[in-house]
Amino acid sequence: SGLNWEPRSRAVEQIHLRCTEGSLEWMYPARALRVVLEPNLSSARHTTVCIKPASDFQGANIYVERAGQLHLVVSEAGGARPRPVSCFSAQTPQRVALFLQASPQRGITRRTASFQYELLSNQSAAGPDHKKMAVVKAMCHPCDNVELLMAICSSDFVVKGSIRNVSHDSENHMSQVDVSVQKVYRQKNRIFQQDEASGEWRGPIRTLLQCKVKKGGGDFLFTGNEHFGEAWLGCAPRFKDFMFVYWAARESGVS
C-alpha cells in the first residue's frame, strides 16, 4: 500500500517477484513502484511476458524497462472495463523490470492498480495472443500423433467430454467451447467443476476466433494450457482416435 510509505520520501519502492506467474495488488498508488520479475528457475528461458490488468485497474500506468528506456504497456485511461492481455518479449529471460508510475490525485481516494502476470517460453502452445504481440499462440492445426502424445503428458488439463455449445466473440477475437465433461484426467486448477443442481461436470475452454471451432457430436479428448485462470485449447482429437494412437504407441513401446 502506498499509505505505508514515508510522505517525504522520493525513493522508488522496489520489490522482487520470484514466481513465473502470480499477481500484484498496489493499493493507494503513490509515487512509483519498480517490480522485478526474477524467477528462481534460472535455467528456464522465459521469452515472453504477459500482463492482465484487473477490470478496475486504476491509479497508475505500467511501463517495461528496456535499455534504460520506459515503454508504456498498460494505461489507466479508459476507466473500469474488461482489459485485454498485453504481451511483450523479454530481452533478458532471467530478469524483467516493470515500472508502475502512480497518477496524480487530490486527496486520498481508494484506487487499486492490480494485475496478473505470466512468464512464458517458446514452448507454450496455447494462450491469449489476441493481437499477435507474443510467441504464445493457440494451436489451430490438428495435432499429429507425436504432438498429441506430448500434449497428454505436458498439458495443464486433460479431460474427456463432449461439446455443449460454441460461442464467438468477434470483438476480442475469441471463441469459447462449453464442455460437458465425462472424466477429468488432470487439471491444474478447478476450471472444470461439478454443477450442484444437475451433478454434471462442466467447464469453458477458450481458443482464437481464427481457429473456427464448430460444434461437433461425439466424445473428444480436450487438452491445453491455463493462462490467467482460463483454459486455452491445445490438441482436441476425437476420443476414439486418441485411443487408437495411444494403444499403437503402447504396442510399439513409445509411451
Side-chain angles (χ1 to χ4, degrees), residues 101-116:
Q101 177 68 56
S103 305
Q105 68 168 333
R106 294 182 178 179
I108 299 178
T109 57
R110 174 159 181 163
R111 300 186 299 175
T112 303
S114 59
F115 63 89
Q116 296 173 278

Side-chain angles (χ1 to χ4, degrees), residues 140-213:
C140 295
H141 70 281
C143 298
D144 60 30
N145 293 352
V146 174
E147 290 173 328
L148 174 55
L149 293 173
M150 289 296 295
I152 300 302
C153 299
S154 60
S155 294
D156 290 337
F157 65 88
V158 180
V159 299
K160 175 187 177 182
S162 57
I163 299 176
R164 299 177 62 247
N165 184 51
V166 177
S167 57
H168 304 289
D169 183 352
S170 57
E171 182 178 352
N172 293 309
H173 310 287
M174 294 186 299
S175 297
Q176 178 170 301
V177 182
D178 295 318
V179 176
S180 177
V181 178
Q182 297 176 25
K183 185 175 180 61
V184 177
Y185 294 98
R186 180 170 66 253
Q187 64 172 324
K188 186 177 180 181
N189 295 302
R190 292 181 53 81
I191 290 178
F192 303 95
Q193 298 187 36
Q194 188 175 27
D195 183 77
E196 293 183 359
S198 65
E200 181 184 19
W201 282 77
R202 299 175 180 175
I205 302 177
R206 300 194 176 213
T207 188
L208 295 183
L209 188 65
Q210 68 193 46
C211 295
K212 299 180 180 179
V213 175

Side-chain angles (χ1 to χ4, degrees), residues 10-251:
R10 295 184 178 181
V12 175
E13 187 81 8
Q14 180 166 276
I15 61 174
H16 292 257
L17 301 181
R18 304 292 185 181
C19 298
T20 56
E21 61 181 89
S23 61
L24 182 142
E25 184 178 75
W26 189 22
M27 300 174 62
Y28 300 100
R31 297 190 297 280
L33 180 68
R34 188 170 186 261
V35 181
V36 181
L37 307 179
E38 200 170 26
N40 289 326
L41 300 175
S42 59
S43 60
R45 294 190 60 82
H46 298 99
T47 56
T48 302
V49 180
C50 289
I51 294 176
K52 182 179 182 180
S55 58
D56 58 350
F57 181 96
Q58 59 179 331
N61 295 323
I62 303 178
Y63 302 82
V64 59
E65 292 184 12
R66 285 182 175 167
Q69 301 283 329
L70 295 179
H71 301 271
L72 182 64
V73 176
V74 177
S75 172
E76 77 159 340
R81 56 182 172 81
R83 294 171 178 265
V85 174
S86 298
C87 298
F88 52 90
S89 61
Q91 292 186 325
T92 54
Q94 278 74 44
R95 183 184 176 94
V96 177
L98 302 175
F99 189 84
L100 280 68
Q101 177 68 56
S103 305
Q105 68 168 333
R106 294 182 178 179
I108 299 178
T109 57
R110 174 159 181 163
R111 300 186 299 175
T112 303
S114 59
F115 63 89
Q116 296 173 278
Y117 74 90
E118 285 190 17
L119 303 179
L120 306 172
S121 64
N122 279 335
Q123 286 69 40
S124 297
D129 182 18
H130 311 321
K131 298 183 178 180
K132 298 183 180 179
M133 297 176 65
V135 181
V136 189
K137 293 182 179 179
M139 295 178 65
C140 295
H141 70 281
C143 298
D144 60 30
N145 293 352
V146 174
E147 290 173 328
L148 174 55
L149 293 173
M150 289 296 295
I152 300 302
C153 299
S154 60
S155 294
D156 290 337
F157 65 88
V158 180
V159 299
K160 175 187 177 182
S162 57
I163 299 176
R164 299 177 62 247
N165 184 51
V166 177
S167 57
H168 304 289
D169 183 352
S170 57
E171 182 178 352
N172 293 309
H173 310 287
M174 294 186 299
S175 297
Q176 178 170 301
V177 182
D178 295 318
V179 176
S180 177
V181 178
Q182 297 176 25
K183 185 175 180 61
V184 177
Y185 294 98
R186 180 170 66 253
Q187 64 172 324
K188 186 177 180 181
N189 295 302
R190 292 181 53 81
I191 290 178
F192 303 95
Q193 298 187 36
Q194 188 175 27
D195 183 77
E196 293 183 359
S198 65
E200 181 184 19
W201 282 77
R202 299 175 180 175
I205 302 177
R206 300 194 176 213
T207 188
L208 295 183
L209 188 65
Q210 68 193 46
C211 295
K212 299 180 180 179
V213 175
K214 297 180 180 179
K215 183 177 179 179
D219 296 331
F220 296 82
L221 188 72
F222 297 98
T223 72
N225 292 318
E226 295 183 21
H227 296 286
F228 302 110
E230 298 173 342
W232 284 80
L233 187 64
C235 300
R238 290 190 177 276
F239 190 77
K240 61 180 182 179
D241 296 334
F242 158 71
M243 292 304 298
F244 178 82
V245 172
Y246 174 76
W247 286 114
R250 284 286 298 269
E251 292 177 4

